[in-house]
C-alpha cells in the first residue's frame, strides 16, 4: 500500500497542523516535506509518486486545480484531497476526480474521515493488485467498506445490484432494497469491485451482471438494462460501453 503523503499548502501553519494530525491518525503514513508553491509541489509529486496528495487550491505559481489536471492524465495518479478557504473552486475541483474538498480552517474530525477513506481505497487497490497477479478467480475482492461516519460497514459485493452517481455521490443499491450513500467517484469505487461481476455501462452507472434480467432495445442502437428485483429502474447503456456489455452478455 502506497502510504506516502505529500502536502502542498501555502500556509505553513496549516501544513504543520495537517502533518501532526495525519501522523497521529495513522502512524504508517510516510509524510514528505511540505511544498509551499505549485511548481515545487508538481515536481515533488512526479518524483516521489505519493499515494495521497493534499493540495491547496490557491497555491502560488501553479494552483492546485491545475496540478490535479496534470495528475489525472497519468495512468496511475494519487488520491487528491483539496484544501480551500471557500467553496469557490469546489465544482471545478470535482471535475478532476478529487477524493474530497476540505474547507479551512481544517477540522480534525474531517481530516480523520478523509484519512480513513484514503486508507480503505488504497487497501482495496492493493488487494486488487494482489488478485491480478493470481490465477484463482475466487481470489477477487468480495467485500466493500462503506463509510458510515464513525464506523465502516462491510457489505458483500455479491448483494450489490447496481451503483449510480449523482451530485458527486455514489449510491449503492442492494439486493434487500437498502441503498448506501458514499462520497466517492464511480471511477474509484469501480477499482474496488470484482471485474468479472461488475461493469461500467454508462458514465453514471455500474451494474452487477448477475442481476441483469432483460436487455431492451432503446431507439435504434441503444439499450436499457432491467435488473432482477429492481424492474422499475431502466438503466441506460452508453454507446461507448456497448462492446463491454457484449463481452459480459453474449449477444
Amino acid at each position: 500500500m502506497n502510504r506516502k503523503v505529500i502536502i502542498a499548502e501555502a500556509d505553513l501553519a496549516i501544513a504543520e497542523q495537517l502533518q501532526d494530525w495525519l501522523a497521529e491518525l495513522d502512524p504508517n503514513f510516510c509524510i514528505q516535506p511540505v511544498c509551499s508553491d505549485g511548481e515545487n509541489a508538481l515536481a515533488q509529486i512526479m518524483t516521489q509518486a505519493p499515494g495521497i496528495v493534499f493540495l491547496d487550491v490557491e497555491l502560488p505559481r501553479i494552483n492546485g486545480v491545475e496540478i490535479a489536471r496534470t495528475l489525472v492524465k497519468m495512468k496511475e495518479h494519487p488520491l487528491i484531497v483539496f484544501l480551500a478557504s471557500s467553496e469557490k473552486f469546489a465544482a471545478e475541483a470535482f471535475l478532476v476526480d478529487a477524493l474530497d474538498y476540505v474547507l479551512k480552517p481544517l477540522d480534525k474530525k474531517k481530516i480523520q474521515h478523509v484519512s480513513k477513506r484514503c486508507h480503505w481505497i488504497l487497501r482495496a487497490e492493493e488487494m486488487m493488485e494482489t488478485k491480478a497477479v493470481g490465477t484463482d478467480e475466487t481470489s477477487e475482492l468480495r467485500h466493500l467498506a462503506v463509510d458510515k461516519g464513525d464506523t465502516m460497514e462491510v457489505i458483500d459485493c455479491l448483494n450489490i445490484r447496481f451503483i449510480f452517481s449523482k451530485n458527486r455521490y455514489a449510491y449503492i443499491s442492494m439486493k434487500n432494497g437498502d441503498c448506501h450513500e458514499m462520497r466517492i467517484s464511480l471511477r474509484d469505487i469501480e477499482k474496488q469491485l470484482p471485474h468479472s461481476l461488475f461493469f461500467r455501462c454508462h458514465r453514471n452507472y455500474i451494474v452487477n451482471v448477475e442481476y441483469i434480467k432483460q436487455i431492451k432495445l432503446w431507439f435504434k442502437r441503444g439499450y436499457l438494462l432491467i435488473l432482477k428485483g429492481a424492474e422499475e429502474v431502466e438503466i441506460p447503456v452508453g454507446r461507448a460501453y456497448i462492446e463491454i456489455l457484449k463481452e459480459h452478455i453474449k449477444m
Side-chain angles (χ1 to χ4, degrees):
M1 187 189 303
N2 186 353
R3 291 182 174 272
K4 192 179 293 184
V5 179
I6 285 182
I7 299 171
E9 169 57 56
D11 188 320
L12 186 58
I14 291 176
E16 290 178 346
Q17 179 69 85
L18 181 56
Q19 279 184 311
D20 291 344
W21 284 347
L22 290 174
E24 177 187 338
L25 292 168
D26 192 334
N28 292 315
F29 278 143
C30 181
I31 303 171
Q32 305 302 299
V34 172
C35 302
S36 58
D37 69 78
E39 286 185 359
N40 184 32
L42 184 56
Q44 289 301 312
I45 293 167
M46 293 301 189
T47 303
Q48 300 294 330
I52 308 165
V53 175
F54 288 84
L55 274 178
D56 180 356
V57 294
E58 297 183 274
L59 283 170
R61 298 187 182 177
I62 306 176
N63 68 46
V65 175
E66 289 300 322
I67 292 174
R69 285 181 181 144
T70 299
L71 297 181
V72 296
K73 293 176 183 177
M74 300 163 56
K75 184 177 180 181
E76 294 186 8
H77 64 79
L79 299 176
I80 299 169
V81 179
F82 283 110
L83 307 175
S85 55
S86 72
E87 296 182 355
K88 178 180 176 181
F89 299 96
E92 193 173 4
F94 281 102
L95 288 176
V96 291
D97 204 19
L99 177 70
D100 215 325
Y101 190 91
V102 181
L103 291 175
K104 305 172 189 177
L106 302 183
D107 176 76
K108 188 175 182 179
K109 285 188 177 180
K110 175 64 175 178
I111 297 302
Q112 182 179 28
H113 174 77
V114 171
S115 171
K116 287 195 299 182
R117 289 184 64 200
C118 290
H119 171 84
W120 283 103
I121 291 173
L122 292 175
R123 174 62 178 154
E125 288 179 349
E126 180 184 49
M127 293 177 70
M128 291 300 288
E129 288 171 3
T130 302
K131 178 212 71 173
V133 300
T135 57
D136 184 1
E137 189 72 13
T138 61
S139 67
E140 286 190 322
L141 186 64
R142 271 280 308 277
H143 296 87
L144 184 68
V146 178
D147 193 340
K148 293 293 185 179
D150 293 334
T151 61
M152 303 294 287
E153 182 174 340
V154 179
I155 60 176
D156 190 333
C157 291
L158 298 182
N159 293 326
I160 298 174
R161 291 185 297 195
F162 67 95
I163 305 169
F164 69 97
S165 66
K166 184 178 181 182
N167 297 330
R168 301 193 295 272
Y169 282 84
Y171 297 88
I172 305 171
S173 173
M174 304 297 295
K175 178 182 178 180
N176 64 2
D178 288 348
C179 186
H180 299 286
E181 177 186 87
M182 294 180 70
R183 187 161 186 171
I184 186 174
S185 70
L186 280 191
R187 176 179 176 178
D188 284 332
I189 204 169
E190 186 177 15
K191 294 177 184 177
Q192 303 178 44
L193 297 169
H195 294 169
S196 61
L197 285 179
F198 292 86
F199 80 100
R200 187 82 165 262
C201 66
H202 185 274
R203 61 177 298 186
N204 294 325
Y205 288 91
I206 296 172
V207 299
N208 184 337
V209 295
E210 294 297 319
Y211 286 89
I212 296 177
K213 180 179 180 180
Q214 293 179 333
I215 302 173
K216 294 172 60 176
L217 189 63
W218 189 36
F219 294 105
K220 291 186 177 180
R221 292 189 294 172
Y223 295 97
L224 294 173
L225 303 179
I226 309 299
L227 304 186
K228 301 171 187 175
E231 287 81 359
E232 72 283 0
V233 180
E234 295 183 332
I235 297 177
V237 179
R239 289 186 180 181
Y241 302 92
I242 290 176
E243 292 304 316
I244 301 175
L245 171 65
K246 291 179 178 179
E247 290 177 8
H248 284 273
I249 306 290
K250 302 304 179 184
M251 298 172 61

